[in-house]
Amino acid sequence: MRWSPPVVLPVVLALGGLLLGAVAALLDEAGRVLVGAAALLMVALAVRDSVLRPRLTAAADGLEVATLTGRRVLPWGLLRVRVRSTRRWGTTVRTLELDTAAGPDDDGVLVVLGRWDLGADPEDVARALATQGRDR
């Protein structure tokens, strides 16, 4: 099983960034700086979402998570999967937490992924991972 943002998302971000870059050329100096920064951010997000595909993969030996520093495997035996819900700006935000800490003295690895990263609801991903983990 694999999870990543929809393919169309990086394409839309890149096109939006290029469009903002073109608009920035027509603005005054302050506008060029602000709109140009937004254009660079959109292109950077498009590149990040393209490079980190798939973001999360369920493999036989554990979960493989793609990060900017490389791919990391979180073994099933140490893995705790949890969905955290937080209220922000009048809406509920859910994140998937993948934790490998074995105890209070073990730092382990904590990976937090949201709907944007997974391309799916974190609760659905957690249910699928629970099923996958029980099969091991």
Side-chain angles (χ1 to χ4, degrees):
M1 292 189 279
R2 296 177 173 199
W3 294 274
S4 58
V7 175
V8 72
L9 193 59
V11 172
V12 169
L13 282 171
L15 290 176
L18 293 175
L19 180 64
L20 279 180
V23 168
L26 305 173
L27 300 175
D28 63 343
E29 188 174 331
R32 271 195 301 273
V33 169
L34 291 173
V35 175
L40 285 175
L41 177 63
M42 289 180 77
V43 170
L45 287 173
V47 168
R48 182 196 71 150
D49 285 348
S50 297
V51 170
L52 298 181
R53 293 187 69 80
R55 188 76 159 108
L56 182 67
T57 304
D61 53 344
L63 288 180
E64 184 177 308
V65 181
T67 65
L68 291 175
T69 58
R71 298 197 176 268
R72 170 173 255 156
V73 175
L74 308 176
W76 288 112
L78 300 175
L79 189 63
R80 285 191 327 239
V81 178
R82 185 170 107 175
V83 175
R84 181 174 292 240
S85 295
T86 308
R87 301 258 320 152
R88 287 189 200 149
W89 299 95
T91 181
T92 301
V93 177
R94 285 196 272 305
T95 56
L96 180 71
E97 292 184 358
L98 307 171
D99 188 9
T100 63
D105 296 331
D106 180 15
D107 290 337
V109 176
L110 176 65
V111 178
V112 180
L113 301 169
R115 185 186 221 23
W116 182 287
D117 297 310
L118 298 168
D121 185 9
E123 284 188 12
D124 295 340
V125 175
R127 275 193 291 275
L129 292 176
T131 303
Q132 183 89 6
R134 278 195 301 262
D135 294 344
R136 307 252 169 258

